[in-house]
Amino acid sequence: MSKQDLKPNHDLSTPSIELANGQVAVTGLPNAPMKQNFSILSIIAVGYNISNSWVAIAASFAIAIQSGGAVTLLYGIILVAAIMLCTGLTLAELASVYPTAGGQYHFTSILATSRWSRSLSYSSGLAAVFSWITLSASIALSSANVLMAIIIRWRPEYQPETWHYFLVYQAMNAVMVLYNIFLTNKTLWVYNLGFVLSISTFLAITITCPARSSIQLDSSHVWTQFANGSGGWPDGISFLTGLSTPQFMLSGLDATLHLAEECLQPERIVPKAVIVTVIVGFLTAFPFSVAIIYSYKDVELSLTTPTGFPIYFIWEKATHSPVAATIFMACMLTVSCIALNAVHQTSSRLTWSFARDEALFYSNKLASVSPTLGVPVYAILLDGLWVLLLGVVYVASSNAFNAFISTTVVVAQISYAIPSALLLYRRRSTDYLPSSRPFKLINSVGYIVNIVTIVWALVLTVFFSFPTVLPATGGNMNYTSVVLVAMLVLGIVNWFAYARKHYHGPRLEL
């Protein structure tokens, strides 16, 4: 039998993936004690709940508007969706061959040469872990902002303090950690509910706001007038820095990869879920954004709203009803809480997988799964602790939310780019991508999507570290670069103190 006929055996209850003729095997994969709870529909629901693209646009609306207005928002969504489709195709193809909870860092471990396998896969894994922790923090902070905005709107005499937001943020984090430990496996239907509620709210907003609005806009102004509010950046740089809003709509694209060991037929389900997440994300984010832009004439004015939530202001003006706008906000809050729960679940599975490969201190604890609860309790608690600490550090900064968004998407894209680069290095060999894989790209298309994934990581790393407004001050500074350096230092310390001696990842033996 030729190598092109090799077929992976995806029974992850065994410690390795044996390929059909026994000549090639992926070794070093640990046992997977998780229950296989997810079907194709439920895993898509989880992936959508995490990205919730229209909610992500609504939450970070101000960034794009300040960095180019409607032009940055609308064209940015199209650009980012196309690029992230390339990223999704790259991940889907690899996941169809190596469906494990490790996701991109397992791909890296397998594709890299023996000399660089450990260090590169450790880097990819750590970047992925950090991206999920910062995503949890950003959603928790966004949810706190939504709740506080509702309170401020109906109690204008209330003067919120920074520590009020801090307490709400920590409360949401604590509730979701406890929910993940005791209830998530018993209530997977919540993700289906979140999917239905999100789509229903999206349709209600997208239809109601333009229909109720009395504003008549000139389309040429909407689609061609670039409103550079950066205070000094050239239009091109302002556009690129404003793409953090569209980019955030597909944060957590790798979610379904890390739930692979809880799926039935993951080699077929996971690739489909990744692609559907991108497609549904675009089909909700773009119409939603068009509807919002056409619902209110002066979107820049919304940036000064007392609630601190521009989209709330626009909804109220468009519908002429504070009650309707508040209902939309309440639905958005509910959907955000479900998303936060899904992010905690996915993040803990990645941490658990990383610990199985002995990459973290106390890996024996972090890699354990409670026999009664069926979840990695220690991994969930560790991720919750990190989110708590991020709240302590950043909630005092009014610019924290922007930093969270930028850091999340930058380190996530870096974690995708590393296996993409290695796939190019291997020339997309059938030794690593068997021709019989369930999800297969034409080779020329594969090269294109792999290259786009890498280039985009470079673009994000550079431009998402720029301050969005000039001149930069302590109040408006982009702290993404500071966060990235802190992550790098933590990763290096952990490597030399523990992972260098203990960490191992799966390898492909030819």
Side-chain angles (χ1 to χ4, degrees), residues 53-78:
S53 298
W54 73 265
V55 175
I57 295 293
S60 56
F61 183 75
I63 302 172
I65 296 304
Q66 184 173 273
S67 301
V71 169
T72 295
L73 181 63
L74 299 178
Y75 289 112
I77 289 173
I78 296 172

mmCIF file with all atom_site columns, all heavy atoms in Angstrom, residues 53-78:
data_model
loop_
_atom_site.group_PDB
_atom_site.id
_atom_site.type_symbol
_atom_site.label_atom_id
_atom_site.label_alt_id
_atom_site.label_comp_id
_atom_site.label_asym_id
_atom_site.label_entity_id
_atom_site.label_seq_id
_atom_site.pdbx_PDB_ins_code
_atom_site.Cartn_x
_atom_site.Cartn_y
_atom_site.Cartn_z
_atom_site.occupancy
_atom_site.B_iso_or_equiv
_atom_site.pdbx_formal_charge
_atom_site.auth_seq_id
_atom_site.auth_comp_id
_atom_site.auth_asym_id
_atom_site.auth_atom_id
_atom_site.pdbx_PDB_model_num
ATOM 1   N N   . SER A 1 53 ? -20.461 36.679 15.948 1.00 0.00 ? 53 SER A N   1
ATOM 2   C CA  . SER A 1 53 ? -19.826 37.774 15.222 1.00 0.00 ? 53 SER A CA  1
ATOM 3   C C   . SER A 1 53 ? -20.543 39.115 15.353 1.00 0.00 ? 53 SER A C   1
ATOM 4   O O   . SER A 1 53 ? -19.900 40.152 15.510 1.00 0.00 ? 53 SER A O   1
ATOM 5   C CB  . SER A 1 53 ? -19.703 37.394 13.749 1.00 0.00 ? 53 SER A CB  1
ATOM 6   O OG  . SER A 1 53 ? -18.885 36.250 13.618 1.00 0.00 ? 53 SER A OG  1
ATOM 7   N N   . TRP A 1 54 ? -21.861 39.116 15.291 1.00 0.00 ? 54 TRP A N   1
ATOM 8   C CA  . TRP A 1 54 ? -22.551 40.400 15.383 1.00 0.00 ? 54 TRP A CA  1
ATOM 9   C C   . TRP A 1 54 ? -22.408 40.996 16.782 1.00 0.00 ? 54 TRP A C   1
ATOM 10  O O   . TRP A 1 54 ? -22.308 42.228 16.940 1.00 0.00 ? 54 TRP A O   1
ATOM 11  C CB  . TRP A 1 54 ? -24.025 40.262 14.991 1.00 0.00 ? 54 TRP A CB  1
ATOM 12  C CG  . TRP A 1 54 ? -24.913 39.568 15.996 1.00 0.00 ? 54 TRP A CG  1
ATOM 13  C CD1 . TRP A 1 54 ? -25.257 38.254 16.010 1.00 0.00 ? 54 TRP A CD1 1
ATOM 14  C CD2 . TRP A 1 54 ? -25.566 40.164 17.124 1.00 0.00 ? 54 TRP A CD2 1
ATOM 15  N NE1 . TRP A 1 54 ? -26.073 37.982 17.080 1.00 0.00 ? 54 TRP A NE1 1
ATOM 16  C CE2 . TRP A 1 54 ? -26.289 39.132 17.775 1.00 0.00 ? 54 TRP A CE2 1
ATOM 17  C CE3 . TRP A 1 54 ? -25.619 41.456 17.651 1.00 0.00 ? 54 TRP A CE3 1
ATOM 18  C CZ2 . TRP A 1 54 ? -27.053 39.362 18.921 1.00 0.00 ? 54 TRP A CZ2 1
ATOM 19  C CZ3 . TRP A 1 54 ? -26.376 41.687 18.788 1.00 0.00 ? 54 TRP A CZ3 1
ATOM 20  C CH2 . TRP A 1 54 ? -27.086 40.649 19.409 1.00 0.00 ? 54 TRP A CH2 1
ATOM 21  N N   . VAL A 1 55 ? -22.347 40.131 17.798 1.00 0.00 ? 55 VAL A N   1
ATOM 22  C CA  . VAL A 1 55 ? -22.144 40.613 19.171 1.00 0.00 ? 55 VAL A CA  1
ATOM 23  C C   . VAL A 1 55 ? -20.744 41.197 19.313 1.00 0.00 ? 55 VAL A C   1
ATOM 24  O O   . VAL A 1 55 ? -20.547 42.243 19.951 1.00 0.00 ? 55 VAL A O   1
ATOM 25  C CB  . VAL A 1 55 ? -22.356 39.477 20.189 1.00 0.00 ? 55 VAL A CB  1
ATOM 26  C CG1 . VAL A 1 55 ? -22.031 39.943 21.600 1.00 0.00 ? 55 VAL A CG1 1
ATOM 27  C CG2 . VAL A 1 55 ? -23.787 38.947 20.117 1.00 0.00 ? 55 VAL A CG2 1
ATOM 28  N N   . ALA A 1 56 ? -19.764 40.536 18.716 1.00 0.00 ? 56 ALA A N   1
ATOM 29  C CA  . ALA A 1 56 ? -18.393 41.042 18.762 1.00 0.00 ? 56 ALA A CA  1
ATOM 30  C C   . ALA A 1 56 ? -18.292 42.404 18.084 1.00 0.00 ? 56 ALA A C   1
ATOM 31  O O   . ALA A 1 56 ? -17.597 43.307 18.570 1.00 0.00 ? 56 ALA A O   1
ATOM 32  C CB  . ALA A 1 56 ? -17.457 40.039 18.089 1.00 0.00 ? 56 ALA A CB  1
ATOM 33  N N   . ILE A 1 57 ? -18.984 42.561 16.960 1.00 0.00 ? 57 ILE A N   1
ATOM 34  C CA  . ILE A 1 57 ? -19.004 43.860 16.273 1.00 0.00 ? 57 ILE A CA  1
ATOM 35  C C   . ILE A 1 57 ? -19.657 44.915 17.154 1.00 0.00 ? 57 ILE A C   1
ATOM 36  O O   . ILE A 1 57 ? -19.143 46.037 17.307 1.00 0.00 ? 57 ILE A O   1
ATOM 37  C CB  . ILE A 1 57 ? -19.758 43.747 14.935 1.00 0.00 ? 57 ILE A CB  1
ATOM 38  C CG1 . ILE A 1 57 ? -19.027 42.817 13.961 1.00 0.00 ? 57 ILE A CG1 1
ATOM 39  C CG2 . ILE A 1 57 ? -19.962 45.136 14.323 1.00 0.00 ? 57 ILE A CG2 1
ATOM 40  C CD1 . ILE A 1 57 ? -17.704 43.332 13.477 1.00 0.00 ? 57 ILE A CD1 1
ATOM 41  N N   . ALA A 1 58 ? -20.782 44.570 17.767 1.00 0.00 ? 58 ALA A N   1
ATOM 42  C CA  . ALA A 1 58 ? -21.491 45.525 18.618 1.00 0.00 ? 58 ALA A CA  1
ATOM 43  C C   . ALA A 1 58 ? -20.648 45.945 19.814 1.00 0.00 ? 58 ALA A C   1
ATOM 44  O O   . ALA A 1 58 ? -20.637 47.109 20.211 1.00 0.00 ? 58 ALA A O   1
ATOM 45  C CB  . ALA A 1 58 ? -22.813 44.909 19.088 1.00 0.00 ? 58 ALA A CB  1
ATOM 46  N N   . ALA A 1 59 ? -19.917 44.989 20.398 1.00 0.00 ? 59 ALA A N   1
ATOM 47  C CA  . ALA A 1 59 ? -19.138 45.272 21.603 1.00 0.00 ? 59 ALA A CA  1
ATOM 48  C C   . ALA A 1 59 ? -17.929 46.148 21.329 1.00 0.00 ? 59 ALA A C   1
ATOM 49  O O   . ALA A 1 59 ? -17.523 46.949 22.178 1.00 0.00 ? 59 ALA A O   1
ATOM 50  C CB  . ALA A 1 59 ? -18.702 43.964 22.250 1.00 0.00 ? 59 ALA A CB  1
ATOM 51  N N   . SER A 1 60 ? -17.322 45.986 20.147 1.00 0.00 ? 60 SER A N   1
ATOM 52  C CA  . SER A 1 60 ? -16.092 46.732 19.834 1.00 0.00 ? 60 SER A CA  1
ATOM 53  C C   . SER A 1 60 ? -16.314 47.747 18.715 1.00 0.00 ? 60 SER A C   1
ATOM 54  O O   . SER A 1 60 ? -15.366 48.187 18.059 1.00 0.00 ? 60 SER A O   1
ATOM 55  C CB  . SER A 1 60 ? -14.988 45.750 19.431 1.00 0.00 ? 60 SER A CB  1
ATOM 56  O OG  . SER A 1 60 ? -15.398 44.937 18.343 1.00 0.00 ? 60 SER A OG  1
ATOM 57  N N   . PHE A 1 61 ? -17.549 48.148 18.533 1.00 0.00 ? 61 PHE A N   1
ATOM 58  C CA  . PHE A 1 61 ? -17.979 49.044 17.464 1.00 0.00 ? 61 PHE A CA  1
ATOM 59  C C   . PHE A 1 61 ? -17.157 50.332 17.417 1.00 0.00 ? 61 PHE A C   1
ATOM 60  O O   . PHE A 1 61 ? -16.784 50.823 16.356 1.00 0.00 ? 61 PHE A O   1
ATOM 61  C CB  . PHE A 1 61 ? -19.464 49.363 17.696 1.00 0.00 ? 61 PHE A CB  1
ATOM 62  C CG  . PHE A 1 61 ? -20.114 50.219 16.658 1.00 0.00 ? 61 PHE A CG  1
ATOM 63  C CD1 . PHE A 1 61 ? -20.450 49.685 15.419 1.00 0.00 ? 61 PHE A CD1 1
ATOM 64  C CD2 . PHE A 1 61 ? -20.399 51.553 16.907 1.00 0.00 ? 61 PHE A CD2 1
ATOM 65  C CE1 . PHE A 1 61 ? -21.075 50.472 14.463 1.00 0.00 ? 61 PHE A CE1 1
ATOM 66  C CE2 . PHE A 1 61 ? -21.015 52.340 15.957 1.00 0.00 ? 61 PHE A CE2 1
ATOM 67  C CZ  . PHE A 1 61 ? -21.353 51.800 14.723 1.00 0.00 ? 61 PHE A CZ  1
ATOM 68  N N   . ALA A 1 62 ? -16.841 50.887 18.587 1.00 0.00 ? 62 ALA A N   1
ATOM 69  C CA  . ALA A 1 62 ? -16.184 52.196 18.664 1.00 0.00 ? 62 ALA A CA  1
ATOM 70  C C   . ALA A 1 62 ? -14.809 52.196 18.014 1.00 0.00 ? 62 ALA A C   1
ATOM 71  O O   . ALA A 1 62 ? -14.381 53.209 17.452 1.00 0.00 ? 62 ALA A O   1
ATOM 72  C CB  . ALA A 1 62 ? -16.068 52.628 20.123 1.00 0.00 ? 62 ALA A CB  1
ATOM 73  N N   . ILE A 1 63 ? -14.097 51.072 18.065 1.00 0.00 ? 63 ILE A N   1
ATOM 74  C CA  . ILE A 1 63 ? -12.727 51.031 17.543 1.00 0.00 ? 63 ILE A CA  1
ATOM 75  C C   . ILE A 1 63 ? -12.720 51.271 16.043 1.00 0.00 ? 63 ILE A C   1
ATOM 76  O O   . ILE A 1 63 ? -11.948 52.093 15.530 1.00 0.00 ? 63 ILE A O   1
ATOM 77  C CB  . ILE A 1 63 ? -12.063 49.681 17.882 1.00 0.00 ? 63 ILE A CB  1
ATOM 78  C CG1 . ILE A 1 63 ? -12.062 49.440 19.384 1.00 0.00 ? 63 ILE A CG1 1
ATOM 79  C CG2 . ILE A 1 63 ? -10.639 49.646 17.347 1.00 0.00 ? 63 ILE A CG2 1
ATOM 80  C CD1 . ILE A 1 63 ? -11.595 48.056 19.778 1.00 0.00 ? 63 ILE A CD1 1
ATOM 81  N N   . ALA A 1 64 ? -13.577 50.559 15.319 1.00 0.00 ? 64 ALA A N   1
ATOM 82  C CA  . ALA A 1 64 ? -13.621 50.710 13.866 1.00 0.00 ? 64 ALA A CA  1
ATOM 83  C C   . ALA A 1 64 ? -14.126 52.086 13.465 1.00 0.00 ? 64 ALA A C   1
ATOM 84  O O   . ALA A 1 64 ? -13.613 52.705 12.525 1.00 0.00 ? 64 ALA A O   1
ATOM 85  C CB  . ALA A 1 64 ? -14.503 49.617 13.257 1.00 0.00 ? 64 ALA A CB  1
ATOM 86  N N   . ILE A 1 65 ? -15.138 52.575 14.168 1.00 0.00 ? 65 ILE A N   1
ATOM 87  C CA  . ILE A 1 65 ? -15.704 53.885 13.822 1.00 0.00 ? 65 ILE A CA  1
ATOM 88  C C   . ILE A 1 65 ? -14.673 54.989 14.019 1.00 0.00 ? 65 ILE A C   1
ATOM 89  O O   . ILE A 1 65 ? -14.552 55.909 13.214 1.00 0.00 ? 65 ILE A O   1
ATOM 90  C CB  . ILE A 1 65 ? -16.963 54.163 14.659 1.00 0.00 ? 65 ILE A CB  1
ATOM 91  C CG1 . ILE A 1 65 ? -18.059 53.142 14.317 1.00 0.00 ? 65 ILE A CG1 1
ATOM 92  C CG2 . ILE A 1 65 ? -17.465 55.578 14.443 1.00 0.00 ? 65 ILE A CG2 1
ATOM 93  C CD1 . ILE A 1 65 ? -18.430 53.092 12.848 1.00 0.00 ? 65 ILE A CD1 1
ATOM 94  N N   . GLN A 1 66 ? -13.898 54.886 15.067 1.00 0.00 ? 66 GLN A N   1
ATOM 95  C CA  . GLN A 1 66 ? -12.873 55.884 15.340 1.00 0.00 ? 66 GLN A CA  1
ATOM 96  C C   . GLN A 1 66 ? -11.727 55.806 14.332 1.00 0.00 ? 66 GLN A C   1
ATOM 97  O O   . GLN A 1 66 ? -11.045 56.789 14.073 1.00 0.00 ? 66 GLN A O   1
ATOM 98  C CB  . GLN A 1 66 ? -12.319 55.678 16.751 1.00 0.00 ? 66 GLN A CB  1
ATOM 99  C CG  . GLN A 1 66 ? -11.313 56.721 17.197 1.00 0.00 ? 66 GLN A CG  1
ATOM 100 C CD  . GLN A 1 66 ? -10.945 56.548 18.650 1.00 0.00 ? 66 GLN A CD  1
ATOM 101 O OE1 . GLN A 1 66 ? -11.602 57.072 19.536 1.00 0.00 ? 66 GLN A OE1 1
ATOM 102 N NE2 . GLN A 1 66 ? -9.893  55.798 18.906 1.00 0.00 ? 66 GLN A NE2 1
ATOM 103 N N   . SER A 1 67 ? -11.528 54.636 13.741 1.00 0.00 ? 67 SER A N   1
ATOM 104 C CA  . SER A 1 67 ? -10.389 54.411 12.839 1.00 0.00 ? 67 SER A CA  1
ATOM 105 C C   . SER A 1 67 ? -10.796 54.328 11.374 1.00 0.00 ? 67 SER A C   1
ATOM 106 O O   . SER A 1 67 ? -10.204 53.588 10.600 1.00 0.00 ? 67 SER A O   1
ATOM 107 C CB  . SER A 1 67 ? -9.664  53.123 13.236 1.00 0.00 ? 67 SER A CB  1
ATOM 108 O OG  . SER A 1 67 ? -9.194  53.182 14.546 1.00 0.00 ? 67 SER A OG  1
ATOM 109 N N   . GLY A 1 68 ? -11.801 55.069 10.993 1.00 0.00 ? 68 GLY A N   1
ATOM 110 C CA  . GLY A 1 68 ? -12.169 55.089 9.577  1.00 0.00 ? 68 GLY A CA  1
ATOM 111 C C   . GLY A 1 68 ? -13.657 55.116 9.315  1.00 0.00 ? 68 GLY A C   1
ATOM 112 O O   . GLY A 1 68 ? -14.090 55.226 8.164  1.00 0.00 ? 68 GLY A O   1
ATOM 113 N N   . GLY A 1 69 ? -14.459 54.967 10.368 1.00 0.00 ? 69 GLY A N   1
ATOM 114 C CA  . GLY A 1 69 ? -15.899 55.027 10.196 1.00 0.00 ? 69 GLY A CA  1
ATOM 115 C C   . GLY A 1 69 ? -16.464 53.806 9.513  1.00 0.00 ? 69 GLY A C   1
ATOM 116 O O   . GLY A 1 69 ? -15.936 52.694 9.616  1.00 0.00 ? 69 GLY A O   1
ATOM 117 N N   . ALA A 1 70 ? -17.538 54.007 8.746  1.00 0.00 ? 70 ALA A N   1
ATOM 118 C CA  . ALA A 1 70 ? -18.238 52.902 8.097  1.00 0.00 ? 70 ALA A CA  1
ATOM 119 C C   . ALA A 1 70 ? -17.341 52.163 7.115  1.00 0.00 ? 70 ALA A C   1
ATOM 120 O O   . ALA A 1 70 ? -17.457 50.948 6.946  1.00 0.00 ? 70 ALA A O   1
ATOM 121 C CB  . ALA A 1 70 ? -19.481 53.416 7.384  1.00 0.00 ? 70 ALA A CB  1
ATOM 122 N N   . VAL A 1 71 ? -16.418 52.874 6.475  1.00 0.00 ? 71 VAL A N   1
ATOM 123 C CA  . VAL A 1 71 ? -15.536 52.240 5.495  1.00 0.00 ? 71 VAL A CA  1
ATOM 124 C C   . VAL A 1 71 ? -14.686 51.156 6.148  1.00 0.00 ? 71 VAL A C   1
ATOM 125 O O   . VAL A 1 71 ? -14.577 50.034 5.643  1.00 0.00 ? 71 VAL A O   1
ATOM 126 C CB  . VAL A 1 71 ? -14.631 53.299 4.826  1.00 0.00 ? 71 VAL A CB  1
ATOM 127 C CG1 . VAL A 1 71 ? -13.535 52.622 4.006  1.00 0.00 ? 71 VAL A CG1 1
ATOM 128 C CG2 . VAL A 1 71 ? -15.461 54.211 3.939  1.00 0.00 ? 71 VAL A CG2 1
ATOM 129 N N   . THR A 1 72 ? -14.081 51.477 7.293  1.00 0.00 ? 72 THR A N   1
ATOM 130 C CA  . THR A 1 72 ? -13.268 50.483 8.000  1.00 0.00 ? 72 THR A CA  1
ATOM 131 C C   . THR A 1 72 ? -14.114 49.313 8.463  1.00 0.00 ? 72 THR A C   1
ATOM 132 O O   . THR A 1 72 ? -13.708 48.146 8.351  1.00 0.00 ? 72 THR A O   1
ATOM 133 C CB  . THR A 1 72 ? -12.565 51.123 9.202  1.00 0.00 ? 72 THR A CB  1
ATOM 134 O OG1 . THR A 1 72 ? -11.632 52.095 8.742  1.00 0.00 ? 72 THR A OG1 1
ATOM 135 C CG2 . THR A 1 72 ? -11.824 50.091 10.031 1.00 0.00 ? 72 THR A CG2 1
ATOM 136 N N   . LEU A 1 73 ? -15.288 49.601 8.986  1.00 0.00 ? 73 LEU A N   1
ATOM 137 C CA  . LEU A 1 73 ? -16.143 48.542 9.516  1.00 0.00 ? 73 LEU A CA  1
ATOM 138 C C   . LEU A 1 73 ? -16.617 47.604 8.413  1.00 0.00 ? 73 LEU A C   1
ATOM 139 O O   . LEU A 1 73 ? -16.451 46.381 8.506  1.00 0.00 ? 73 LEU A O   1
ATOM 140 C CB  . LEU A 1 73 ? -17.345 49.161 10.238 1.00 0.00 ? 73 LEU A CB  1
ATOM 141 C CG  . LEU A 1 73 ? -18.324 48.164 10.867 1.00 0.00 ? 73 LEU A CG  1
ATOM 142 C CD1 . LEU A 1 73 ? -17.643 47.348 11.953 1.00 0.00 ? 73 LEU A CD1 1
ATOM 143 C CD2 . LEU A 1 73 ? -19.540 48.901 11.438 1.00 0.00 ? 73 LEU A CD2 1
ATOM 144 N N   . LEU A 1 74 ? -17.196 48.160 7.343  1.00 0.00 ? 74 LEU A N   1
ATOM 145 C CA  . LEU A 1 74 ? -17.823 47.328 6.326  1.00 0.00 ? 74 LEU A CA  1
ATOM 146 C C   . LEU A 1 74 ? -16.797 46.605 5.444  1.00 0.00 ? 74 LEU A C   1
ATOM 147 O O   . LEU A 1 74 ? -16.865 45.388 5.266  1.00 0.00 ? 74 LEU A O   1
ATOM 148 C CB  . LEU A 1 74 ? -18.762 48.177 5.469  1.00 0.00 ? 74 LEU A CB  1
ATOM 149 C CG  . LEU A 1 74 ? -19.916 48.848 6.244  1.00 0.00 ? 74 LEU A CG  1
ATOM 150 C CD1 . LEU A 1 74 ? -20.764 49.698 5.312  1.00 0.00 ? 74 LEU A CD1 1
ATOM 151 C CD2 . LEU A 1 74 ? -20.781 47.813 6.939  1.00 0.00 ? 74 LEU A CD2 1
ATOM 152 N N   . TYR A 1 75 ? -15.851 47.358 4.908  1.00 0.00 ? 75 TYR A N   1
ATOM 153 C CA  . TYR A 1 75 ? -14.833 46.708 4.080  1.00 0.00 ? 75 TYR A CA  1
ATOM 154 C C   . TYR A 1 75 ? -13.912 45.835 4.929  1.00 0.00 ? 75 TYR A C   1
ATOM 155 O O   . TYR A 1 75 ? -13.374 44.822 4.454  1.00 0.00 ? 75 TYR A O   1
ATOM 156 C CB  . TYR A 1 75 ? -14.014 47.752 3.315  1.00 0.00 ? 75 TYR A CB  1
ATOM 157 C CG  . TYR A 1 75 ? -14.801 48.430 2.216  1.00 0.00 ? 75 TYR A CG  1
ATOM 158 C CD1 . TYR A 1 75 ? -15.143 49.776 2.299  1.00 0.00 ? 75 TYR A CD1 1
ATOM 159 C CD2 . TYR A 1 75 ? -15.210 47.720 1.084  1.00 0.00 ? 75 TYR A CD2 1
ATOM 160 C CE1 . TYR A 1 75 ? -15.876 50.405 1.297  1.00 0.00 ? 75 TYR A CE1 1
ATOM 161 C CE2 . TYR A 1 75 ? -15.939 48.334 0.073  1.00 0.00 ? 75 TYR A CE2 1
ATOM 162 C CZ  . TYR A 1 75 ? -16.272 49.684 0.190  1.00 0.00 ? 75 TYR A CZ  1
ATOM 163 O OH  . TYR A 1 75 ? -16.999 50.282 -0.803 1.00 0.00 ? 75 TYR A OH  1
ATOM 164 N N   . GLY A 1 76 ? -13.728 46.228 6.185  1.00 0.00 ? 76 GLY A N   1
ATOM 165 C CA  . GLY A 1 76 ? -12.913 45.431 7.091  1.00 0.00 ? 76 GLY A CA  1
ATOM 166 C C   . GLY A 1 76 ? -13.512 44.059 7.336  1.00 0.00 ? 76 GLY A C   1
ATOM 167 O O   . GLY A 1 76 ? -12.795 43.050 7.404  1.00 0.00 ? 76 GLY A O   1
ATOM 168 N N   . ILE A 1 77 ? -14.828 43.999 7.468  1.00 0.00 ? 77 ILE A N   1
ATOM 169 C CA  . ILE A 1 77 ? -15.496 42.715 7.677  1.00 0.00 ? 77 ILE A CA  1
ATOM 170 C C   . ILE A 1 77 ? -15.294 41.803 6.471  1.00 0.00 ? 77 ILE A C   1
ATOM 171 O O   . ILE A 1 77 ? -15.012 40.601 6.611  1.00 0.00 ? 77 ILE A O   1
ATOM 172 C CB  . ILE A 1 77 ? -16.994 42.928 7.952  1.00 0.00 ? 77 ILE A CB  1
ATOM 173 C CG1 . ILE A 1 77 ? -17.194 43.552 9.335  1.00 0.00 ? 77 ILE A CG1 1
ATOM 174 C CG2 . ILE A 1 77 ? -17.774 41.614 7.838  1.00 0.00 ? 77 ILE A CG2 1
ATOM 175 C CD1 . ILE A 1 77 ? -18.622 43.950 9.626  1.00 0.00 ? 77 ILE A CD1 1
ATOM 176 N N   . ILE A 1 78 ? -15.409 42.365 5.261  1.00 0.00 ? 78 ILE A N   1
ATOM 177 C CA  . ILE A 1 78 ? -15.217 41.572 4.051  1.00 0.00 ? 78 ILE A CA  1
ATOM 178 C C   . ILE A 1 78 ? -13.785 41.052 3.981  1.00 0.00 ? 78 ILE A C   1
ATOM 179 O O   . ILE A 1 78 ? -13.543 39.866 3.703  1.00 0.00 ? 78 ILE A O   1
ATOM 180 C CB  . ILE A 1 78 ? -15.547 42.414 2.805  1.00 0.00 ? 78 ILE A CB  1
ATOM 181 C CG1 . ILE A 1 78 ? -17.032 42.810 2.808  1.00 0.00 ? 78 ILE A CG1 1
ATOM 182 C CG2 . ILE A 1 78 ? -15.200 41.644 1.528  1.00 0.00 ? 78 ILE A CG2 1
ATOM 183 C CD1 . ILE A 1 78 ? -17.400 43.804 1.718  1.00 0.00 ? 78 ILE A CD1 1
#
